[in-house]
Amino acid sequence: MPTNRSIIKSTEKYDAHNYHPLPVVLTRGKGAWVWDVEGNRYLDMLSGYSALNQGHCHPHIAKAIRAQVGRLTLTSRAFHNDQLGLFLKKICTMTGYEKALPMNSGAEAVETAIKTARKWGYFNKKIPVNKAQIIVCKNNFHGRTTTIVGFSTEKQYQNGFGPFAPGFKIIPYNDIKALKKSINRNTAGFLVEPIQGEGGVIVPDTGYLKDCYKLCHKNRVLMIADEIQTGLGRTGYLLACDFEKIRPDIVIVGKALSGGFYPVSAILCDDHIMKVFKPGDHGSTFGGNPLAAAIGIAALEVIEKENLSKRARELGRWFGEELFKIDSPIIKEIRGRGLLIGVELMKPARPYCEDLMKLGILAKETHEMVVRFAPPLVVEKKDLAWALARIKKVLKA
Ligand SMILES: *Cc1c(COP(=O)(O)O)cnc(C)c1O
């Protein structure tokens, strides 16, 4: 029988050590639960960084993937396929945007949004060639391409990977005055996370996003919301921006857009923006393939049919309140919305995550001092209650 230890050892012989996973080897998942190769069961409180809002191996998505995999998987965009239109219609109808452009990973969709905003700026604001500026926030996380890490403020994400692309201005998050000051004639877009997930679950003040939206509009700057982690139900709303009742010019989605089955991402915007793209301007071999589209449709149907946004809102409120009741000197702050919750500790969070693992809870530290609790949105209240007892035990120890 292979053990967690033996498999980790043989994996580490060949893998690049760009991750530091918890020492557990998972082999099976169902809903909010996963099992390791030794038969131990865990509650998944990371959910693939929110790619698994629908839970592991959701049967409705599994059925769609099985049906599509026997029919047609890839055409390339050189030809049409009969699934893409259905997928785009579904996501546009649900979110209220006129157009969607499909990609695969989240970072690719962020790159797509950057390209869109720049081209829009050159065409519509007559920004001089190669002078377009995109404003981004400190402590951001938008992915790992060289362009994107170029405007990260996390030194480790940049070290050894330069030189980086110009054209980005970094301002403090949750600081409307800084945004106002940094917008100029050449500003094409403002790229922002409604809640900074990787940054440690940083929730801006209520009203911040709305003020950003107003300021962007007054100055003809595209507001670009990166909802890759916060979107699709996670924060108790279909999009986290819905909380402030704003409709950004461009929304970026990914992660749960496939329910964890496959990389599927997209940008959403209206036609007057999307029309900057002409044939040949941008593309992806796999983006919008029929398998991804069929998966995307099913993943969105689950979010809708199972009322996952509402579930996240109600369970999140209760779970958050219960976490608040834990009286422990090592808890510094608890933040979040819906089922995206960060518990900031007074000490490094990694050992606490290891202790949680021993008790059957998989959570991961983010930003060293923060434990993120973001279970699949299909999680049962009794599972969360089970987890709470163990979280309490670990944080009180
Ligand atoms: C995960 C994430 C990304 C990057 O997505 P990948 O699929 O890993 O490329 C971008 N932005 C945010 C906010 C994310 O959480």
Side-chain angles (χ1 to χ4, degrees):
M1 262 290 277
T3 60
N4 285 311
R5 263 180 72 102
S6 69
I7 294 179
I8 289 168
K9 204 162 163 231
S10 58
T11 303
E12 283 185 342
K13 180 162 165 22
Y14 295 104
D15 82 338
H17 292 181
N18 58 329
Y19 276 93
H20 181 34
L22 288 170
V24 60
V25 181
L26 303 174
T27 185
R28 191 159 67 85
K30 187 168 189 269
W33 295 89
V34 287
W35 285 261
D36 73 10
V37 290
E38 297 172 17
N40 302 304
R41 188 180 81 142
Y42 306 86
L43 186 65
D44 181 358
M45 297 201 79
L46 181 67
S47 310
Y49 302 97
S50 295
L52 290 153
N53 288 0
Q54 299 88 338
H56 289 269
C57 301
H58 194 289
H60 181 67
I61 311 173
K63 192 172 155 204
I65 198 170
R66 273 194 211 102
Q68 190 60 39
V69 95
R71 222 163 30 221
L72 184 67
T73 58
L74 183 69
T75 54
S76 86
R77 297 293 302 276
F79 315 113
H80 290 277
N81 71 69
D82 63 357
Q83 296 299 306
L84 178 59
L86 300 172
F87 171 53
L88 300 179
K89 181 178 178 191
K90 181 84 193 159
I91 180 105
C92 286
T93 313
M94 270 176 83
T95 58
Y97 285 90
E98 293 172 359
K99 294 274 182 177
L101 196 170
M103 284 281 136
N104 311 284
S105 70
E108 281 176 301
V110 172
E111 293 271 357
T112 302
I114 292 168
K115 280 182 161 182
T116 309
R118 283 180 176 169
K119 198 148 198 176
W120 177 89
Y122 294 125
F123 279 179
N124 291 278
K125 282 181 80 167
K126 307 287 177 242
I127 295 172
V129 183
N130 291 340
K131 294 289 181 219
Q133 180 206 57
I134 307 259
I135 300 171
V136 300
C137 293
K138 270 187 195 158
N139 198 40
N140 71 69
F141 184 84
H142 297 290
R144 300 288 202 155
T145 64
T146 47
T147 292
I148 294 171
V149 298
F151 57 77
S152 173
T153 53
E154 192 67 41
K155 282 294 152 255
Q156 196 196 352
Y157 296 173
Q158 293 196 325
N159 270 345
F161 299 133
F164 300 117
F168 299 95
K169 161 99 183 150
I170 303 168
I171 62 167
Y173 188 57
N174 195 24
D175 184 340
I176 192 70
K177 286 204 191 96
L179 179 61
K180 191 168 184 178
K181 239 178 27 208
S182 61
I183 289 176
N184 64 40
R185 244 183 296 128
N186 295 339
T187 308
F190 172 51
L191 173 62
V192 65
E193 297 158 87
I195 292 174
Q196 291 185 326
E198 296 310 300
V201 192
I202 308 295
V203 185
D205 298 335
T206 300
Y208 170 67
L209 293 171
K210 188 171 266 172
D211 290 345
C212 290
Y213 176 82
K214 284 187 197 149
L215 199 54
C216 284
H217 266 235
K218 210 172 104 194
N219 292 283
R220 293 186 73 220
V221 169
L222 297 181
M223 179 169 180
I224 309 164
D226 182 345
E227 294 252 16
I228 292 170
Q229 185 160 159
T230 53
L232 305 178
R234 173 56 55 189
T235 67
Y237 300 84
L238 184 63
L239 298 174
C241 283
D242 294 345
F243 173 76
E244 294 216 14
K245 300 189 173 61
I246 54 158
R247 187 173 175 275
D249 300 289
I250 302 177
V251 169
I252 312 168
V253 285
K255 292 198 168 120
L257 191 49
S258 75
F261 278 78
Y262 194 89
V264 185
S265 66
I267 70 157
L268 310 165
C269 62
D270 284 344
D271 187 47
H272 69 93
I273 297 169
M274 197 69 97
K275 75 177 188 213
V276 299
F277 285 114
K278 301 284 179 273
D281 281 352
H282 186 47
S284 158
T285 303
F286 279 85
N289 73 70
L291 185 60
I295 291 168
I297 295 166
L300 290 167
E301 284 171 348
V302 171
I303 291 171
E304 228 171 22
K305 281 188 193 145
E306 301 189 13
N307 270 315
L308 292 188
S309 305
K310 186 159 169 260
R311 260 189 96 78
R313 194 155 67 234
E314 292 173 357
L315 286 173
R317 188 180 303 134
W318 174 77
F319 185 63
E321 280 167 10
E322 293 299 311
L323 283 173
F324 267 113
K325 289 183 194 161
I326 301 177
D327 180 24
S328 160
I330 58 160
I331 297 178
K332 188 171 170 201
E333 194 179 37
I334 300 174
R335 308 181 284 260
R337 182 164 298 139
L339 280 173
L340 179 58
I341 297 175
V343 178
E344 182 165 349
L345 305 181
M346 308 292 287
K347 298 184 199 168
R350 172 85 185 191
Y352 294 93
C353 292
E354 287 171 4
D355 288 347
L356 285 169
M357 188 190 93
K358 288 173 200 148
L359 295 180
I361 294 168
L362 293 183
K364 190 79 166 66
E365 76 277 10
T366 178
H367 246 235
E368 202 185 354
M369 314 293 268
V370 181
V371 187
R372 172 172 33 197
F373 292 115
L377 310 182
V378 296
V379 70
E380 300 283 342
K381 191 170 176 182
K382 66 171 168 25
D383 298 335
L384 290 177
W386 178 93
L388 274 164
R390 284 151 182 83
I391 292 166
K392 216 173 280 180
K393 202 165 156 187
V394 166
L395 293 183
K396 283 194 153 206

